[in-house]
Amino acid sequence: AMCATDRCFNKGEALSNLFRTIKVLPVERGAGLEQKYMHHAIHKLDSGDWIHIFPEGTRHPGGQMGSLEPGIGKLILGAKIPPVVLPIIHINMNKVMPKGSSIPATGNRVTIVVGDPIYFDDVVAEIKHKGESLQLYNKIIARLAREMKKLYEIAMEKHRLFELGLDDSGGPVPAAP
C-alpha cells in the first residue's frame, strides 16, 4: 500500500515502524510525480510486486468518490510492464476511520466490492509514439474513473440493501451463526 508520510510515517516511531514492517510505501503529499517515493513504487511494480493505492489521494467527507490524482497514471506509464489495475470500492470506511482519527471506530457496516481487472496496454503503447505526458495520465484517469464510478454505484446499492437487512436478490440476509 502507499500512504502519505504525514499520515503513516510522522506519527511516532512505533507507528512508522509498523507501517514499514507491513510494507507500506510512503508518498509525500504535494511533492509531485517525480518524487523519490513514486520512483520506488514503480521499482516495486517492475519487480513484480503489487501496490495498493488510493487513487483519490484521500478520504472524502460523506464517503463520496472524489477525483483521481495523476499519480495512478505515473505508476502505470512508468512501469516496464503495464500493471493490471484491480479496482476495489469500499462504502462506509469514512465512518470506520474518519479524517483525523488514529483509532478505527467500531460498530460500522462496511461494503466492499471488487471490480473486474482494468488493462492499460493500449495507453502504454502510445508512449512509443507520443512519450509520457499529462494527456496520457488523464486518459488513464478518465478510464479508471469511469470504471470506479460504475463500481461505486453497485457498491452503494449493495450497501443500501445490506443496511435494510436484504441480500443482493432482495431476500433477507441470513442470520450469523
Side-chain angles (χ1 to χ4, degrees):
M2 294 183 79
C3 187
T5 52
D6 63 318
R7 176 86 179 126
C8 297
F9 296 95
N10 294 343
K11 301 274 185 179
E13 189 175 338
L15 195 56
S16 179
N17 287 337
L18 168 70
F19 285 117
R20 287 186 204 293
T21 299
I22 60 173
K23 301 187 184 215
V24 172
L25 301 174
V27 65
E28 188 75 35
R29 292 182 206 255
L33 297 174
E34 296 302 324
Q35 64 177 280
K36 65 181 177 182
Y37 299 124
M38 290 297 286
H39 293 287
H40 183 66
I42 290 168
H43 176 73
K44 298 291 274 183
L45 290 171
D46 289 342
S47 298
D49 290 335
W50 60 269
I51 299 174
H52 175 191
I53 68 164
F54 298 91
E56 298 164 90
T58 189
R59 289 162 286 166
H60 294 278
Q64 283 81 14
M65 202 175 113
S67 60
L68 307 186
E69 296 291 328
I72 183 74
K74 176 69 176 175
L75 291 173
I76 290 169
L77 292 178
K80 290 178 184 168
I81 298 172
V84 176
V85 175
L86 187 64
I88 301 170
I89 297 286
H90 46 74
I91 305 297
N92 232 21
M93 281 301 292
N94 59 309
K95 292 182 180 174
V96 173
M97 201 70 176
K99 275 193 169 188
S101 68
S102 54
I103 299 173
T106 60
N108 293 288
R109 292 181 174 183
V110 175
T111 301
I112 300 171
V113 178
V114 179
D116 294 327
I118 304 171
Y119 300 91
F120 293 94
D121 301 49
D122 60 317
V123 181
V124 172
E126 289 185 48
I127 291 175
K128 292 177 184 172
H129 304 292
K130 299 179 183 176
E132 193 171 321
S133 69
L134 188 57
Q135 179 185 10
L136 292 178
Y137 293 167
N138 289 336
K139 195 170 188 175
I140 288 170
I141 290 167
R143 182 179 302 169
L144 184 56
R146 272 191 314 273
E147 295 303 316
M148 288 183 68
K149 177 73 174 156
K150 289 184 222 173
L151 197 58
Y152 178 81
E153 296 300 326
I154 292 167
M156 286 298 291
E157 180 59 15
K158 286 180 180 288
H159 189 75
R160 185 187 72 76
L161 289 170
F162 187 65
E163 289 285 309
L164 294 172
L166 304 172
D167 65 18
D168 289 349
S169 67
V173 173

